Every structure is written in structure tokens, then in C-alpha cells.
Amino acid sequence: MSAHLYVEGGESKEDQIRCREGFRKLFEKAGFSGKMPRLSACGGRGSVFDDFKTAYALRKVGDYIAMLVDSEDPVGDLERTWDHLKHRDQCDKPVGATDEQVLFMTTCMETWIVTDRRALQEHYGHSLQENALPPLTNLESRDRHEVYDKLVHASRNCSNAYSKGKRSFELLAKLDPAVLKQHLPSFVRVDRILKAKL
């Protein structure tokens, strides 16, 4: 049996390498060292879905094929992921696929990043304007643009101000899974499903 996770992120080849590295380091800290799923950074949402569908169609019996994407909008029921994708993106579930094959960063990867204030402080230092970050309560119900804009604003005076790509994946690699599990049901779900499948 093998496990393959198709991840949203990384528009260029360099960023795809950084994306895989960032998620690998995060998952290793979450306890997946030695049983890591294969990670493919696919770029945008459409590419992730296309790559997932192809891999799903060619899978061997027992293989776990999944995608990890931004939910983009708050999710009504984290266990009904295909319903969310159908409603939001008009993505049709492949025959036989299950909701456990769609893992969400709710509402965006930046939600995961703003959750770990210690990692942000260590990464940015004293120039980080922490009070500009969104509150930790109900983070997954916040608009993705709000979360992203507040992270950019909070780091604007830092020499390495937040931006998507290299900097976002550097931060991802520094996050503490225990902190994410404390605040984010989406991360708890990702951790639970991957541990059951690997």
C-alpha cells in the first residue's frame, strides 16, 4: 500500500520543491517521520484536482490517494468535503472516492500560519506587529482574504515580510502541529485521517 498526497501550492518548480519541503517538515513534527506520504506540489486548485483524478483512476488496490487544498471558504461540515468542493468549485467526486480523500487547509494555508504565534515571533522577531493578526478564536470561519491581509500587515515592517511562495513555505516548516491541533479542526482532521491511512 502507498499513500500519495497532492498539495495545492508552488507555482514554479522552485516553489514546488519548497512546498513539498515545508509540508514534509510539518508532517514529520506531527509524527509521520518514517511513514510519510508521497507529496506532490501541484500549483493551483485546478491542477491539484486534475492530478488527483488521474492518480485516483490509476491507483492500485489499497492505495490512499488524497488532495490537500485550501477550502477557500468556511466549511459547513468538515466531514462532507466533496459537498463543499461541488458547491464551491463545481468539482465532481470521482466514482468510489470518499470524503477522507479531500483534506482542507481551512480557509487557506495562511490560517495555519497565523495560528502559531510563537513560530511567527521566532521567524519575524520584534518587528512583527502581533496585535494586527486575527484573533485565534474561530479562525476557520474567517475570510481567507482577511487572514492573508492581516498576516501581510502584521509583518509589513519586517525585512522578510510575508508573501506567498518561498516565505510562506519557510514558515509552514516552522509550525508546531500541537498548536495547530489546539485551534484548528481542519488540522486535527488531516492528522487523524493520515494517521489512520499510513
Side-chain angles (χ1 to χ4, degrees):
M1 181 185 132
S2 69
H4 198 144
L5 196 54
Y6 293 85
V7 180
E8 181 178 358
E11 296 300 325
S12 69
K13 289 290 183 192
E14 278 185 4
D15 278 346
Q16 287 176 358
I17 292 167
R18 290 183 180 113
C19 177
R20 287 193 306 271
E21 180 75 2
F23 279 103
R24 184 186 60 75
K25 287 183 177 177
L26 177 61
F27 289 150
E28 282 176 351
K29 286 188 275 185
F32 293 99
S33 199
K35 53 183 176 177
M36 185 72 60
R38 183 170 168 211
L39 300 169
S40 291
C42 304
R45 294 170 74 73
S47 296
V48 176
F49 189 58
D50 290 344
D51 289 351
F52 167 82
K53 284 193 301 185
T54 299
Y56 182 73
L58 299 173
R59 76 195 182 284
K60 295 177 183 162
V61 174
D63 285 355
Y64 175 64
I65 309 294
M67 55 183 166
L68 176 62
V69 294
D70 294 342
S71 68
E72 301 282 326
D73 296 322
V75 179
D77 183 347
L78 272 175
E79 300 304 327
R80 298 180 61 93
T81 52
W82 282 108
D83 288 351
H84 180 82
L85 289 178
K86 177 67 175 173
H87 175 74
R88 194 194 178 283
D89 300 290
Q90 293 72 51
C91 287
D92 291 318
K93 177 175 77 166
V95 173
T98 69
D99 287 312
E100 290 188 339
Q101 292 174 280
V102 179
L103 308 174
F104 282 140
M105 294 176 278
T106 309
T107 52
C108 55
M109 188 176 77
E110 285 76 18
T111 306
W112 288 15
I113 290 170
V114 301
T115 301
D116 192 340
R117 304 299 161 91
R118 179 177 291 167
L120 286 171
Q121 289 166 349
E122 289 174 1
H123 185 78
Y124 287 116
H126 298 297
S127 297
L128 179 71
Q129 189 182 344
E130 190 173 343
N131 63 354
L133 295 169
L136 289 171
T137 53
N138 300 317
L139 263 176
E140 295 192 344
S141 66
R142 299 187 186 282
D143 180 87
R144 69 187 187 279
H145 301 294
E146 173 197 355
V147 173
Y148 177 82
D149 291 346
K150 286 187 179 233
L151 178 54
V152 169
H153 183 74
S155 66
R156 72 192 183 286
N157 295 325
C158 304
S159 61
N160 56 346
Y162 184 80
S163 63
K164 286 191 176 288
K166 176 183 176 184
R167 292 184 178 161
S168 61
F169 301 128
E170 283 174 358
L171 268 166
L172 183 71
K174 296 179 179 183
L175 301 180
D176 182 346
V179 173
L180 302 189
K181 284 192 248 186
Q182 184 180 349
H183 297 282
L184 302 174
S186 67
F187 190 81
V188 171
R189 182 176 184 269
V190 168
D191 185 70
R192 171 178 51 82
I193 290 173
L194 289 180
K195 283 184 173 154
K197 299 294 183 183
L198 295 173

